Amino acid sequence: MTDAVDAAPAAVCFDLDDTLYDYHQYARAGLREVADRLEARTGESYHDELLALYFDESVTEGTFDRLVDRHGLAPDGDEDAVVDDLVEAYHGATDPLDPYPAAERVLSRFADRYELGLITDGHGGRAKLRRLGVEGYFDVVVVGPERDSSKHQREVFDAALAELAGSADETVYIGDDPRVDVRIPKQLGMTTVRLRRGRYSHLEPDDGDEPDAEIDDLCALTAILE
Ligand SMILES: [Mg+2]
């Protein structure tokens, strides 16, 4: 594993959700914001039910549709408008978020040695970076939804590479989701590292999605890169 990088890279590029912090924190804060908004509107508390839906019943997609439907929370029939409003509340939470314990250590160490990039498909990527207090470490930040793009397209990786020092083969990319964080960066010539942590840690890679190296803690990056 530790010989995955032959020479010192020029740039290191990170995914955000579940790579630099635990996404469940973001979900918890967002769900609280949603329940607060619903309570202000209806006088009912849906806090426990929302958390149970998301975390216990694993309804992580369409969570708000389910709740709105279950309780008839769209009295004028426009469920989409109510759900859109709740999605906006979810992403509008402003509570500070904690990076993984190793993340700040690794970022501050690497910021002195390499150019650092961040590529995320998450909504409000820049707001998340501010909530995490780590935005200052990155030379380049590429947020897919801002460009109507995603990590399913090479465009977001190209955009980061265009601004980072060095070529693709001098760049290391680290992400947690084997479905989007390996194939394209690898095809472009980047060295790929999978952090096996968070929501997708149980996923085994499809053919072609095997990373050059796999770690279970960001601390291990230092050994791989240096
Ligand atoms: Mg991720």
Side-chain angles (χ1 to χ4, degrees), residues 58-142:
S58 300
V59 182
T60 57
E61 305 275 329
T63 320
F64 309 140
D65 302 81
R66 186 78 69 91
L67 191 82
V68 166
D69 195 43
R70 191 185 277 176
H71 294 285
L73 296 173
D76 60 2
D78 194 350
E79 283 198 12
D80 289 348
V82 175
V83 169
D84 286 351
D85 181 58
L86 298 181
V87 169
E88 189 224 293
Y90 178 80
H91 291 297
T94 55
D95 319 37
L97 299 166
D98 295 320
Y100 285 139
E104 280 209 87
R105 222 162 42 235
V106 163
L107 289 172
S108 83
R109 181 181 176 96
F110 286 3
D112 291 337
R113 292 168 166 75
Y114 318 110
E115 285 214 330
L116 297 186
L118 184 118
I119 303 177
T120 178
D121 280 352
H123 285 275
R126 289 175 206 278
K128 276 181 199 159
L129 286 175
R130 283 193 296 275
R131 288 169 66 187
L132 286 159
V134 298
E135 77 271 34
Y137 291 115
F138 296 99
D139 301 290
V140 179
V141 173
V142 176

Side-chain angles (χ1 to χ4, degrees), residues 9-24:
V12 182
C13 214
F14 293 85
D15 161 57
L16 179 54
D17 295 331
D18 280 329
T19 294
L20 293 179
Y21 79 106
D22 178 354
Y23 181 82
H24 281 166

Side-chain angles (χ1 to χ4, degrees), residues 31-49:
L31 294 171
R32 197 164 47 235
E33 196 73 23
V34 167
D36 286 349
R37 188 172 291 193
L38 278 172
E39 185 164 12
R41 189 174 304 152
T42 66
E44 303 283 335
S45 169
Y46 294 100
H47 292 75
D48 291 345
E49 186 171 348

Side-chain angles (χ1 to χ4, degrees), residues 122-197:
H123 285 275
R126 289 175 206 278
K128 276 181 199 159
L129 286 175
R130 283 193 296 275
R131 288 169 66 187
L132 286 159
V134 298
E135 77 271 34
Y137 291 115
F138 296 99
D139 301 290
V140 179
V141 173
V142 176
V143 180
E146 286 178 359
R147 323 162 63 89
D148 288 326
S149 188
S150 79
K151 287 191 278 187
H152 290 283
Q153 295 156 279
R154 61 173 284 176
E155 188 268 336
V156 291
F157 297 97
D158 283 335
L161 286 169
E163 295 202 36
L164 288 168
S167 54
D169 59 7
E170 295 170 302
T171 303
V172 176
Y173 179 77
I174 300 117
D176 67 291
D177 186 346
R179 298 166 305 176
V180 294
D181 287 321
V182 178
R183 185 177 301 248
I184 294 179
K186 203 165 144 184
Q187 283 168 353
L188 292 175
M190 297 160 94
T191 300
T192 53
V193 179
R194 176 184 181 184
L195 176 67
R196 199 184 263 268
R197 223 176 149 163

